[in-house]
Amino acid sequence: GNLLPLPVPAPCHQSRRGSITGGAMAAVATLAPPVAVTSAAGVLSLLEEQEDQLRKAALERLNEVVDQFWHEIADYLNDIETLYEEASFPGRELAALVASKVFYHLEEYDDALRLALGAGRLFDLAHRTEYVEKIVAVAIDEYVKLRGENFELEMKKKDPAPIDARLEDVVNRMFDRCMEDKAYKQGLGMAIETRRLDKVKDFILKSDNVGEMLEYAQMGAMTLLTSKFFRERMLKVLIEIHQSVKDVNLSALSQCYFILNETGEVAKILKDLMGKEKEGRLLAYQIAFDIVDNENQHFCNAVLSSPLLKLKEPPAPAPAPAAPAEGAAPAEGEAAPAEPPAAPEPPVDEGPEMSEQEKEQLTQLRKILSGRAAIDLHMEFLYRNNRSDLLLLEIIKNSIDAKNSITHNGTVMAHGLMQCGTTSDVFLRKNLEWLAKASNWAKFSATASLGVIHKGHIKESRSILSTYLPQGGGTRGSPYSEGGALYAMGLIHAGHHDQETKNYLVEQLHNAQATEVLQHGACLGIGLLCMATADERIYDELTQTLYTDTAVAGEAAAYAIGLVMVGSASEKAISELLAYAHDTQHEKIIRACALALAMMMFRKEEEAEPLISQMLLDKDAILRYGACFTIGLAYVGTSHNTAIRKLLHISVSDVNDDVRRAAVIALGFVMCNVPEQLPGVVKLLSESYNPHVRYAAAMAVGIACAGTALIEAHNLLQPLMSDSSDFVRQGAIIAMGLLYMQTAPGKTERVKEFRDKLQKVIGDKHEDVMTRFGAILAHGIMDAGGRNSCASLFSKSGMLRGGAAVGFVLFTQMWYWFPLIHMFSLTLTPNAIIGLTEKLKIPKNFSVKSGARPSVFAYPEPLQPPKKEETTKAATAVLSTAAKAKQLKEKKEKEESELKKASGADVDMDDKASMGGSVFDGGASSTISRGNVSVAATPGTTVVGSAATDSVAASDLGSEMMEVDEQGAAASSTGEKEKKEEGKAEAKKDEKDEKKKEEPEATEEILKNPCRVLKGQMQFISFPKELEGQPVRYTPLLESRKLGFLLLKDHLPDEPEDLFLEDEKKEEDEEKEPDPPEPFPWSADE
């Protein structure tokens, strides 16, 4: 062979040398043989020998130098592979290893893996080289793919394809390596991905901390697994492990049962815990709150109707099952019976009578499971901590044109969202006259906004809406406000079933056969009330309304069917709605049917595929539009690759703009569990030539990144806020509002800039009305629920919230129908820590410590009312030049008379006035009347006395500024003195403020129960064991919880408790006593 050395890179342990001649190389070789290897050519020539021993020795040498000379060895790959394929050759495995390493360097990883498997045990995982790590990664990827395919074949009842035993061996050796290294989490992650349940069990049970591993596995099952069937199998394995461990984590176990829909098991856990001492009962309450938080009404009702949790009536009459809420249950002290929950006659296993205390405790548990306790406590929190800025609403109200119904409607809706769940409608009461300007559907929306404000006020819903609800004896009021009130009733009760309200709304639906608007409101109300109950009777009622084939009522009926059947995948309902969507001529009804189908497929994943395929192939674009939302809801929060690929394909290939828009919005749903990745996925779409796609990219980012304040999302939305299309600007502004929900200015300056931008857009008369509508709505979204609620697709325990997903889908339909904006209230959840005693009361003396600077998570500062000299009346446009001329003439005359009266006045006033007039003559001017004085101002200048006179210098406005006093120039000198004094006072105040600012900000704060805690704040939350040197009275039962309801252990149970509700109510009663005389002043009796 040619031994002439080639100029190759020197190995790292020797200095770099150029080419050297053969003679010189020989000389070096005699001095220091190992240093001078610059070519493998000599060794490679040995491969052509006939002797096996020589060829094997050559391979051994090549294996040592392959990382340096792979480019030379690559020319001999055919020879080396031939040696591997020769069955009689003794160094076959070595040949495979060398060839594999060369292919690795050539980046041909599939061939490298094939040959590495051929190398058998020579491919040693103990060598932690880059080559080994890479080939193992490729092997695992291949194994994951094959296992996934086999699992799908197994599901289809087909024979799985065999997997190469050598590949399985490499993966098993990798598992062993993880076990040796005690890398249990990595091993568990690998076991989950490779679908090896045997290994999942091994890693959890052999780990040092079984509880933590179980939690990690549960999170992995929910986030990593794209196959619903395998997820269920894995959860069953986790349940087995939970039950085999000594200290069972009942809270996590209950969540597993919840995902598997095993109501009986959850009832059994709760029953057992209620039979234990105090801490057991507290845990039962905590689990009940967690289950309610997952928002599955159907599941909660099933647990409530379990015989184990029924209240025992002393002498129960024979037909016990007739009343689902009441019945008999075994006594507290004994074990749960083995009878299945469906036993028709619970009294069989009566046991001893329940004591009053046990009854009270069980009633309390039932109250939690019914969802009432959570609603009442959330309302209490939202009412107490309401930080809505009414001045902001006042400013918005005054900035918009009162004659424009779109901005008027937007303001009413924004107010509803701002006050969502706080029960505070002060602003509407103050502005009844302004509110009354709403007509037709705007009146419907305005009345429905009361439902958003009073969301959860279940007990009082009828009395709150009594003035708007349809009265007996025919319709008296406007059908729009009556229909809106029925919709409002649904919003108040959303997701909380109540038999009496259901009967009332169904009755109203029957009575409203002649009025479409009333039917529309009643259907939406029923849909919200019976959400996710899959109630057959209600379904039949709604289909009757749907089949009347009137566009407005039919649309609401279809939406309502979707709401009632959320996640049911009912074949009957699907086939009926699909057939009707093809039959009807009304686009509204077809669209609502398409969305109802999407809601029925909520979280159905693979099960939804046949319906998705059928809808995507439909020639009707509206059904394809529905198909995109079906993909979004079926795969919501899974980041399923196939679903993402499908949606991206539709977003660039469909001929219809609406379908493309829906496809991109649906990406926001599918990827809502990885919000940080979504901006990257839709980045190119946000730069699309098609404005519909740009709008959708903004909305998708808003939905998935709500409340995260991600910089990537901000950078994507920022350019879209100044897009050329009005609706793209609207979408970007709404999305930015979602992004910055509950973000304090102390966390990022971007929030303040965005709020300023909103004010500017709302006040800009030249801005398109759609964009201004978006800006008004964005204000409502950012400050939702009195600045205490955030839109979130996940519950506090990490489960997907059905109500929120459906709420977002219907919210996006505002493109066609504004009243659906109210559905946004379904997505809102209060971000709070609410500590509770055993009696479910809120104690005052429970505190939490936040280890972050208060400004990072503080509420935004409320707006300050402008100073007296800045306040002005609204500008009115001057339309004719004649009026302008007349005005200037009057002004001059007045100025002259003023001059005569006041000798101390400036002589140049006339000149200034004329100069002012000439400045204002250009462009459309507006006048600001103040008493009998009028002042002209160009667009771009603000009112007299304010600082922002951009277009005209303050000196040019001198004459007008003097006129403002109305006392003539004589009074001006006293005014100036006052101003100077005010200036001094302000200067002093500023000095004080500066001193305050100089004090460093605290690095932590103590929050009082109940308190707002944001998602980003959770990592800083801790529960101090003592405060100010005193041991604390209450500590949470589960200290790992940093959000939501916390049941508290009371360390001083014998001392009186300082609770919120009771004494506050007393104070309120005391305050209310003096109220009655106010409407009857003494003067009236004279």
Side-chain angles (χ1 to χ4, degrees):
N2 179 15
L3 288 175
L4 193 68
L6 295 167
V8 292
C12 55
H13 59 267
Q14 69 185 54
S15 60
R16 194 174 180 82
R17 302 182 182 195
S19 306
I20 42 180
T21 60
M25 179 183 165
V28 172
T30 55
L31 295 169
V35 178
V37 179
T38 53
S39 168
V43 181
L44 285 165
S45 63
L46 293 175
L47 293 175
E48 292 166 11
E49 297 290 338
Q50 297 303 309
E51 194 63 49
D52 281 352
Q53 292 301 26
L54 279 173
R55 290 192 292 186
K56 190 176 177 190
L59 286 170
E60 280 169 1
R61 184 78 183 107
L62 287 174
N63 187 34
E64 289 166 22
V65 295
V66 66
D67 290 339
Q68 289 150 259
F69 301 114
W70 58 269
H71 49 282
E72 284 183 67
I73 304 170
D75 295 338
Y76 289 82
L77 263 176
N78 285 343
D79 297 349
I80 297 172
E81 281 203 66
T82 310
L83 291 176
Y84 162 60
E85 282 157 12
E86 254 182 55
S88 58
F89 181 61
R92 283 189 65 218
E93 291 186 341
L94 189 57
L97 185 64
V98 173
S100 168
K101 287 182 179 179
V102 175
F103 275 121
Y104 158 72
H105 284 291
L106 291 168
E107 297 188 10
E108 298 284 348
Y109 298 126
D110 291 341
D111 285 326
L113 173 63
R114 173 177 60 81
L115 288 156
L117 295 178
R121 288 283 159 174
L122 287 181
F123 176 57
D124 187 359
L125 301 189
H127 291 148
R128 308 280 170 103
T129 59
E130 272 185 41
Y131 160 72
V132 171
E133 299 293 338
K134 178 66 189 174
I135 299 302
V136 165
V138 174
I140 292 171
D141 285 346
E142 181 65 14
Y143 187 68
V144 167
K145 187 177 128 202
L146 293 171
R147 291 279 300 180
E149 285 168 4
N150 278 355
F151 189 78
E152 278 173 31
L153 288 171
E154 200 183 311
M155 271 164 29
K156 292 172 186 166
K157 307 277 191 304
K158 291 181 184 171
D159 292 334
I163 292 176
D164 189 333
R166 299 171 305 169
L167 180 63
E168 193 126 9
D169 178 55
V170 169
V171 174
N172 284 337
R173 282 192 283 157
M174 196 61 202
F175 280 131
D176 295 341
R177 187 173 118 182
C178 286
M179 204 63 97
E180 281 165 28
D181 296 351
K182 297 199 169 178
Y184 299 117
K185 281 192 177 173
Q186 287 85 329
L188 179 60
M190 207 167 89
I192 293 173
E193 287 209 48
T194 55
R195 308 194 176 203
R196 289 283 297 272
L197 290 175
D198 54 332
K199 293 290 178 189
V200 167
K201 210 166 179 177
D202 274 359
F203 277 108
I204 293 175
L205 290 171
K206 288 178 183 171
S207 68
D208 311 329
N209 187 338
V210 176
E212 190 187 326
M213 286 293 281
L214 274 166
E215 206 172 298
Y216 181 76
Q218 206 163 321
M219 274 305 292
M222 297 311 298
T223 52
L224 291 175
L225 296 179
T226 50
S227 161
K228 190 167 180 238
F229 297 104
F230 182 68
R231 186 183 307 132
E232 287 175 0
R233 276 197 195 178
M234 175 157 164
L235 287 169
K236 282 173 183 161
V237 169
L238 293 183
I239 287 171
E240 275 175 42
I241 300 169
H242 268 299
Q243 290 168 336
S244 65
V245 181
K246 193 164 51 172
D247 296 325
V248 187
N249 181 347
L250 290 172
S251 169
L253 182 58
S254 305
Q255 291 290 0
C256 288
Y257 283 133
F258 171 81
I259 301 161
L260 295 172
N261 205 24
E262 306 243 353
T263 49
E265 295 296 332
V266 172
K268 206 179 281 182
I269 289 174
L270 293 174
K271 176 68 190 162
D272 289 350
L273 285 170
M274 290 303 282
K276 292 180 180 167
E277 69 285 358
K278 188 175 176 180
E279 279 197 21
R281 284 198 303 278
L282 287 177
L283 186 56
Y285 296 158
Q286 184 76 64
I287 289 170
F289 273 123
D290 291 350
I291 287 168
V292 168
D293 190 40
N294 294 336
E295 291 191 9
N296 185 333
Q297 197 168 247
H298 196 59
F299 186 91
C300 292
N301 289 344
V303 174
L304 277 172
S305 54
S306 158
L308 296 173
L309 297 178
K310 286 191 176 175
L311 283 168
K312 240 192 326 276
E313 293 300 312
E326 318 284 303
E332 178 222 338
E334 66 181 46
E339 284 175 27
E345 278 148 19
V348 173
D349 189 279
E350 275 257 327
E353 200 52 52
M354 270 191 173
S355 68
E356 280 305 310
Q357 192 184 359
E358 286 163 6
K359 272 188 187 170
E360 191 186 322
Q361 286 159 358
L362 189 56
T363 308
Q364 210 151 276
L365 180 71
R366 292 181 64 82
K367 186 184 175 190
I368 298 171
L369 284 169
S370 70
R372 294 295 162 85
I375 288 179
D376 292 348
L377 291 161
H378 275 151
M379 264 178 56
E380 188 67 32
F381 164 73
L382 290 171
Y383 174 71
R384 279 182 194 292
N385 295 32
N386 184 2
R387 297 293 171 91
S388 293
D389 198 340
L390 295 181
L391 184 63
L392 174 66
L393 281 163
E394 200 65 47
I395 291 169
I396 293 173
K397 188 192 90 167
N398 295 335
S399 311
I400 60 171
D401 180 5
K403 293 190 181 82
N404 188 324
S405 73
I406 293 182
T407 46
H408 181 281
N409 197 8
T411 311
V412 176
M413 287 174 164
H415 168 260
L417 294 176
M418 275 188 199
Q419 299 282 22
C420 176
T422 62
T423 69
S424 164
D425 50 10
V426 183
F427 179 76
L428 297 183
R429 289 181 194 285
K430 274 188 190 166
N431 298 290
L432 284 173
E433 212 172 293
W434 170 81
L435 189 64
K437 288 178 182 168
S439 61
N440 299 337
W441 284 105
K443 186 179 273 189
F444 178 91
S445 288
T447 316
S449 76
L450 287 172
V452 179
I453 295 167
H454 292 280
K455 181 187 167 195
H457 213 296
I458 290 175
K459 296 174 201 151
E460 304 294 324
S461 61
R462 291 279 279 277
S463 59
I464 291 163
L465 300 168
S466 56
T467 46
Y468 306 99
L469 287 167
Q471 307 298 323
T475 52
R476 292 177 198 166
S478 149
Y480 290 100
S481 62
E482 290 182 354
L486 294 172
Y487 178 22
M489 190 163 258
L491 289 164
I492 289 175
H493 288 260
H496 292 282
H497 190 258
D498 170 13
Q499 195 62 38
E500 188 188 333
T501 313
K502 181 170 94 172
N503 296 342
Y504 173 76
L505 285 172
V506 171
E507 182 194 332
Q508 291 303 328
L509 181 61
H510 290 161
N511 297 344
Q513 293 309 324
T515 323
E516 269 196 276
V517 183
L518 280 177
Q519 282 179 301
H520 187 88
C523 285
L524 288 175
I526 290 170
L528 286 162
L529 176 75
C530 305
M531 189 156 63
T533 54
D535 186 323
E536 283 296 324
R537 191 177 135 253
I538 292 292
Y539 170 75
D540 295 338
E541 289 283 355
L542 292 166
T543 42
Q544 281 175 15
T545 308
L546 177 67
Y547 293 154
T548 56
D549 207 45
T550 52
V552 174
E555 177 188 31
Y559 282 137
I561 288 170
L563 285 164
V564 172
M565 308 299 276
V566 166
S568 66
S570 154
E571 282 180 25
K572 174 190 168 199
I574 289 169
S575 57
E576 286 179 8
L577 281 181
L578 260 180
Y580 190 66
H582 284 119
D583 294 346
T584 183
Q585 296 301 305
H586 297 292
E587 282 195 3
K588 274 175 174 280
I589 296 180
I590 301 172
R591 188 177 304 108
C593 286
L595 280 159
L597 291 166
M599 290 186 242
M600 287 181 204
M601 283 301 175
F602 174 69
R603 279 321 288 267
K604 287 296 166 208
E605 299 176 26
E606 296 95 339
E607 286 174 55
E609 281 303 326
L611 176 66
I612 291 169
S613 306
Q614 187 185 346
M615 288 170 79
L616 279 177
L617 294 171
D618 204 287
K619 64 180 188 295
D620 187 343
I622 301 176
L623 282 170
R624 297 203 301 277
Y625 172 89
C628 294
F629 279 109
T630 311
I631 297 172
L633 282 179
Y635 291 100
V636 60
T638 59
S639 301
H640 196 284
N641 279 338
T642 318
I644 295 171
R645 202 173 295 124
K646 206 175 272 182
L647 289 169
L648 285 171
H649 174 67
I650 299 164
S651 68
V652 291
S653 65
D654 201 280
V655 291
N656 184 282
D657 281 340
D658 290 350
V659 179
R660 295 176 69 173
R661 190 176 69 242
V664 181
I665 289 175
L667 280 170
F669 288 92
V670 176
M671 297 185 68
C672 65
N673 60 330
V674 283
E676 62 288 344
Q677 290 178 22
L678 182 67
V681 174
V682 296
K683 178 82 179 85
L684 287 174
L685 293 169
S686 72
E687 294 161 13
S688 164
Y689 71 93
N690 186 327
H692 290 262
V693 174
R694 297 201 298 273
Y695 168 88
M699 289 302 278
V701 167
I703 289 165
C705 305
T708 59
L710 280 175
I711 181 73
E712 296 85 356
H714 173 92
N715 294 342
L716 183 135
L717 295 169
Q718 187 69 41
L720 294 176
M721 279 168 61
S722 44
D723 195 273
S724 54
S725 296
D726 55 351
F727 64 85
V728 176
R729 293 199 297 277
Q730 183 202 54
I733 286 172
I734 289 174
M736 198 77 103
L738 280 162
L739 180 70
Y740 286 126
M741 284 182 93
Q742 291 196 325
T743 307
K747 189 174 181 189
T748 166
E749 277 298 307
R750 301 192 302 269
V751 187
K752 194 171 180 305
E753 288 162 19
F754 176 58
R755 283 185 184 272
D756 294 344
K757 164 92 175 166
L758 287 185
Q759 293 290 48
K760 196 173 162 194
V761 170
I762 292 168
D764 184 356
K765 298 279 188 285
H766 304 292
E767 181 58 89
D768 193 277
V769 70
M770 288 304 295
T771 311
R772 293 174 74 195
F773 177 80
I776 294 167
L777 212 54
H779 262 310
I781 289 170
M782 279 175 87
D783 295 343
R787 294 181 169 163
N788 289 306
S789 296
C790 190
S792 172
L793 281 157
F794 293 93
S795 72
K796 294 172 184 73
S797 54
M799 296 287 159
L800 201 89
R801 297 173 57 218
V806 168
F808 265 130
V809 164
L810 291 171
F811 173 66
T812 58
Q813 302 313 303
M814 69 175 181
W815 181 275
Y816 305 101
W817 197 231
F818 280 167
L820 290 175
I821 290 174
H822 293 312
M823 294 288 186
F824 185 75
S825 61
L826 300 180
T827 68
L828 295 173
T829 173
N831 278 354
I833 282 184
I834 304 177
L836 299 172
T837 63
E838 191 190 4
K839 295 269 193 289
L840 304 189
K841 296 281 188 272
I842 306 176
K844 287 184 176 176
N845 45 356
F846 167 59
S847 300
V848 214
K849 184 176 174 182
S850 167
R853 288 182 295 110
S855 65
V856 178
F857 300 108
Y859 289 100
E861 286 293 316
L863 293 178
Q864 296 303 320
K867 289 170 187 160
K868 279 183 184 174
E869 61 196 59
E870 286 182 21
T871 53
T872 51
K873 292 186 181 175
T876 53
V878 175
L879 299 176
S880 72
T881 48
K884 200 190 297 178
K886 185 183 174 189
Q887 195 188 343
L888 281 169
K889 191 180 172 190
E890 281 174 8
K891 195 168 169 191
K892 279 185 182 178
E893 282 170 10
K894 184 167 183 192
E895 281 170 3
E896 280 166 19
S897 63
E898 293 280 345
L899 274 169
K900 284 172 193 172
K901 285 181 193 171
S903 55
D906 195 337
V907 185
D908 293 339
M909 254 182 149
D910 278 6
D911 300 342
K912 281 193 178 171
S914 60
M915 184 178 152
S918 66
V919 171
F920 297 133
D921 275 352
S925 65
S926 53
T927 59
I928 294 149
S929 41
R930 183 181 277 259
N932 55 357
V933 184
S934 56
V935 180
T938 55
T941 63
T942 53
V943 278
V944 179
S946 74
T949 45
D950 298 334
S951 310
V952 185
S955 59
D956 296 341
L957 290 171
S959 54
E960 286 89 318
M961 286 187 177
M962 290 187 76
E963 282 182 354
V964 170
D965 244 328
E966 285 192 28
Q967 314 259 300
S972 68
S973 57
T974 55
E976 278 169 26
K977 278 181 194 171
E978 280 171 21
K979 278 182 189 171
K980 278 179 190 171
E981 280 166 22
E982 272 178 33
K984 283 179 190 172
E986 275 183 25
K988 281 181 188 172
K989 192 180 169 190
D990 289 347
E991 276 173 31
K992 280 181 188 172
D993 287 351
E994 274 174 30
K995 280 179 188 172
K996 274 185 191 172
K997 279 177 192 170
E998 280 167 22
E999 288 174 24
E1001 191 185 349
T1003 54
E1004 55 185 43
E1005 60 179 328
I1006 299 292
L1007 305 169
K1008 297 282 183 203
N1009 187 35
C1011 55
R1012 179 180 87 151
V1013 171
L1014 308 186
K1015 281 265 163 67
Q1017 197 173 359
M1018 283 164 62
Q1019 62 195 30
F1020 301 108
I1021 293 293
S1022 59
F1023 303 105
K1025 292 281 182 273
E1026 52 178 52
L1027 280 175
E1028 297 168 5
Q1030 296 293 316
V1032 294
R1033 176 168 179 176
Y1034 300 102
T1035 53
L1037 181 71
L1038 304 177
E1039 296 218 355
S1040 57
R1041 291 291 163 88
K1042 305 289 169 73
L1043 199 60
F1045 296 109
L1046 297 180
L1047 279 136
L1048 305 173
K1049 291 188 279 190
D1050 187 352
H1051 299 294
L1052 303 167
D1054 302 329
E1055 292 187 17
E1057 293 183 301
D1058 187 8
L1059 302 172
F1060 255 119
L1061 301 175
E1062 289 161 17
D1063 67 340
E1064 294 296 316
K1065 280 181 181 160
K1066 280 178 202 164
E1067 280 172 32
E1068 279 169 28
D1069 292 345
E1070 282 165 21
E1071 281 169 22
K1072 279 177 190 169
E1073 274 179 31
D1075 280 351
E1078 283 180 20
F1080 310 101
W1082 295 108
S1083 57
D1085 299 335
E1086 287 172 5

